[in-house]
Amino acid sequence: MDTTADLANDETRADALVTVTARSAVDATPRPAIAEILVMDKSLSMAGRKLDEAKRAMCAAIDTLRDGTRLGIVAGTHKAEVIYPATGGLAVVDAAAKEAAKNRVAAQLAEGGTAIGQWLARADRLFETVTAPGTVRHAVLYTDGRDEHETPEQLGEVLKACTDRFVCDVRGLGEDWQYKELLRITEALHGDAQAVVTVSDLTEDFTRLMRQAQRIVVARVYLGLHLNDLFQLAFVRQTLPVQAELTVGRPQGGEIHVPLGSWPPETRQYQVSLRFDPETLPVEERLRAARITLYAEGTDGTREPCSEMRPMVVQRRAAPGFPVPPPESFTRIEAEYELGMAMRACADAQQAGDSERAARELRIAVGLAQDLRDAVRLEQLRKVSATGPDGRLRVRSDASRGEMQELGLASTRTAAPPLDAVDATPASGALRRRCPQCGETTSAGSVTFCEACGHRFDGGADGAPVGAS
């Protein structure tokens, strides 16, 4: 855990970066039960080769499931239908169940529209039939279109109801879907959103997702925060391997529990941001702002600590007027957040027909990706780039909608800093910027967007340096 422990006299914010690693547990005993729901889009736009390839992918996913897994399949149009099992609830997977499930998938015909919220709500009701505590609940959904047959508010209500109930990975098939809808779903349901522009690639992708899901050994994980009364929780944000704003759960025994979902072996990182009135803090005195503990749901359904408690300790300086440079890790986090915003702004501008703004945002994003040495997002940006007559980067005139949608999804993917990264900590005299819209200050020495509200700094008096005369 890394913290902004040294606080300027007038600072109003303290942050912690919490890194969590899920390690392989092949011999875990007892192994938790797994419930898997596959959600297939069979709307009219899927007719033809797309639906054929999707069926092939669904059947391959079914074949990958381990015997004993509980399985359900939902077919989605402007409504949701459980096509397997026909008896209600979820079926226990064995050889006969796999064949029956694949036969039901193969029989589906394209029809109707798209209402993703109804598909998720139906999956949630199926998961409710699983009564065994500690069951891993995982869903996979693909769609080839926009959520046109319900309102954003209706989708939002469903996502709110489903949060911390199951994890859902989402795939955009082809190029007619909307990346913001997919990110909204995976942010709420702690899943992974990716584009599958070539429909024949869906089989390999679904097979990989099923294998990953079967490696999950903890049904739910929570970040427990016990705050000092002088501090308030501002936000919790996932920063690695994807960026996502997290929903704060209900208090548990005096602690705030933030749902983190569950995942196969990998490392994830979270930013915890606290707010406070600096006048309430003593000066030159070490103060515990929070106690941070990781909790896991056991096979009996109870939440037990799975890490040592880590104190978040801060100290306010006595002398006013001296800015405190943040640790390099926080400077990188804010630059990564800004990179994601620039990539989404580029994709949105290009699709809105504003090629000049798209070019400006592209150049900002490329510069940030180069500074961060983020090879993955840099490659994604270069895919849509071309050099204009003026010698400057622009978005390719023939960049497809699918490529821009893929850029939007890739905007949230972060990379671990390279081992030989240059220390990007600002010099001791570096001045941070205060946002004129929300009043927050950044912890990076040079920024283009406010990380709190998204306001763009245009230079001059806008986003004036803190402490500047």
Side-chain angles (χ1 to χ4, degrees):
M1 187 172 80
D2 196 6
T3 64
T4 53
D6 190 11
L7 303 176
N9 180 268
D10 61 348
E11 183 61 81
T12 61
R13 169 180 162 183
D15 292 85
L17 283 179
V18 182
T19 302
V20 180
T21 299
R23 304 190 187 281
S24 178
V26 176
D27 298 324
T29 304
R31 182 180 292 275
I34 297 178
E36 189 72 50
I37 294 179
L38 306 179
V39 183
M40 64 181 297
D41 180 347
K42 67 165 193 173
S43 59
L44 196 57
S45 60
M46 286 289 298
R49 180 169 176 262
K50 274 197 291 188
L51 186 56
D52 291 340
E53 290 290 349
K55 289 178 181 179
R56 190 162 71 92
M58 294 281 288
C59 290
I62 292 167
D63 281 334
T64 308
L65 293 175
R66 187 169 57 234
D67 283 359
T69 302
R70 295 191 173 273
L71 171 66
I73 303 175
V74 174
T77 58
H78 53 278
K79 57 185 179 180
E81 176 190 3
V82 178
I83 62 170
Y84 182 81
T87 55
L90 299 178
V92 178
V93 169
D94 57 19
K98 288 180 179 180
E99 287 305 310
K102 289 188 291 184
N103 288 338
R104 289 295 295 147
V105 168
Q108 300 308 303
L109 301 176
E111 60 178 336
T114 303
I116 298 175
Q118 292 196 37
W119 309 352
L120 292 170
R122 194 68 189 88
D124 186 41
R125 291 196 294 274
L126 276 178
F127 278 128
E128 283 183 342
T129 66
V130 179
T131 58
T135 298
V136 173
R137 294 168 172 84
H138 179 259
V140 177
L141 177 155
Y142 74 83
T143 182
D144 78 325
R146 306 179 195 183
D147 194 30
E148 294 180 332
H149 290 84
E150 63 186 359
T151 66
E153 291 75 20
Q154 288 173 319
L155 176 60
E157 286 300 313
V158 172
L159 292 176
K160 183 178 179 180
C162 293
T163 297
D164 195 32
R165 294 174 66 83
F166 62 94
V167 170
C168 184
D169 294 320
V170 184
R171 295 296 183 260
L173 191 59
E175 60 179 37
D176 292 330
W177 41 274
Q178 173 54 256
Y179 82 85
K180 290 182 179 178
E181 291 174 352
L182 271 58
L183 290 179
R184 188 180 183 192
I185 294 167
T186 54
E187 184 171 80
L189 304 183
H190 306 286
D192 172 64
Q194 291 191 32
V196 183
V197 177
T198 304
V199 294
S200 58
D201 292 340
L202 190 63
T203 295
E204 181 181 354
D205 182 73
F206 264 34
T207 301
R208 179 181 58 82
L209 283 175
M210 290 300 98
R211 288 175 176 155
Q212 285 184 342
Q214 291 174 89
R215 297 173 67 198
I216 298 172
V217 293
V218 177
R220 295 183 179 93
V221 181
Y222 299 87
L223 196 64
L225 307 173
H226 193 287
L227 303 186
N228 183 310
D229 290 341
L230 299 176
F231 296 81
Q232 299 81 45
L233 181 62
F235 64 82
V236 180
R237 177 182 295 154
Q238 182 173 315
T239 59
L240 186 74
V242 295
Q243 297 165 338
E245 303 294 330
L246 301 184
T247 302
V248 175
R250 297 177 180 176
Q252 299 279 332
E255 284 188 325
I256 298 170
H257 279 205
V258 182
L260 305 182
S262 57
W263 60 93
E266 69 177 15
T267 295
R268 295 190 179 187
Q269 188 179 68
Y270 303 91
Q271 180 181 6
V272 178
S273 186
L274 306 182
R275 293 285 187 268
F276 57 90
D277 178 355
E279 296 303 319
T280 65
L281 302 190
V283 297
E284 303 299 346
E285 181 180 323
R286 287 168 58 82
L287 186 68
R288 187 173 62 195
R291 296 197 300 264
I292 301 177
T293 309
L294 196 68
Y295 290 87
E297 181 180 298
T299 54
D300 61 354
T302 60
R303 298 180 192 178
E304 298 293 339
C306 59
S307 74
E308 295 180 357
M309 182 278 293
R310 296 295 182 89
M312 179 179 173
V313 178
V314 299
Q315 181 171 310
R316 179 187 172 211
R317 289 190 177 184
F322 293 94
V324 178
E328 187 274 336
S329 56
F330 288 91
T331 303
R332 182 180 179 88
I333 289 299
E334 293 202 9
E336 286 178 335
Y337 188 69
E338 184 183 355
L339 169 57
M341 294 179 69
M343 291 175 69
R344 291 188 291 277
C346 173
D348 294 345
Q350 182 70 11
Q351 293 183 91
D354 189 346
S355 58
E356 289 304 314
R357 184 185 173 209
R360 289 195 303 272
E361 301 296 349
L362 174 68
R363 290 191 287 269
I364 290 170
V366 168
L368 286 165
Q370 289 174 333
D371 290 345
L372 288 165
R373 302 170 70 178
D374 188 332
V376 174
R377 286 195 281 188
L378 189 58
E379 176 61 24
Q380 199 71 44
L381 288 161
R382 285 174 172 161
K383 285 182 181 179
V384 301
S385 301
T387 303
D390 58 357
R392 306 173 75 190
L393 281 180
R394 302 183 64 84
V395 178
R396 289 187 359 252
S397 59
D398 62 344
S400 69
R401 171 183 166 80
E403 287 177 305
M404 301 314 296
Q405 291 293 305
E406 194 170 1
L407 184 68
L409 285 187
S411 69
T412 65
R413 295 191 171 279
T414 52
L419 295 177
D420 59 344
V422 177
D423 186 356
T425 306
S428 59
L431 296 174
R432 297 169 298 153
R433 284 188 174 273
R434 176 176 288 121
C435 176
Q437 181 162 296
C438 70
E440 292 298 326
T441 58
T442 70
S443 53
S446 176
V447 293
T448 309
F449 293 94
C450 170
E451 69 151 3
C453 71
H455 175 72
R456 183 183 180 84
F457 297 138
D458 294 323
D462 192 5
V466 178
S469 58

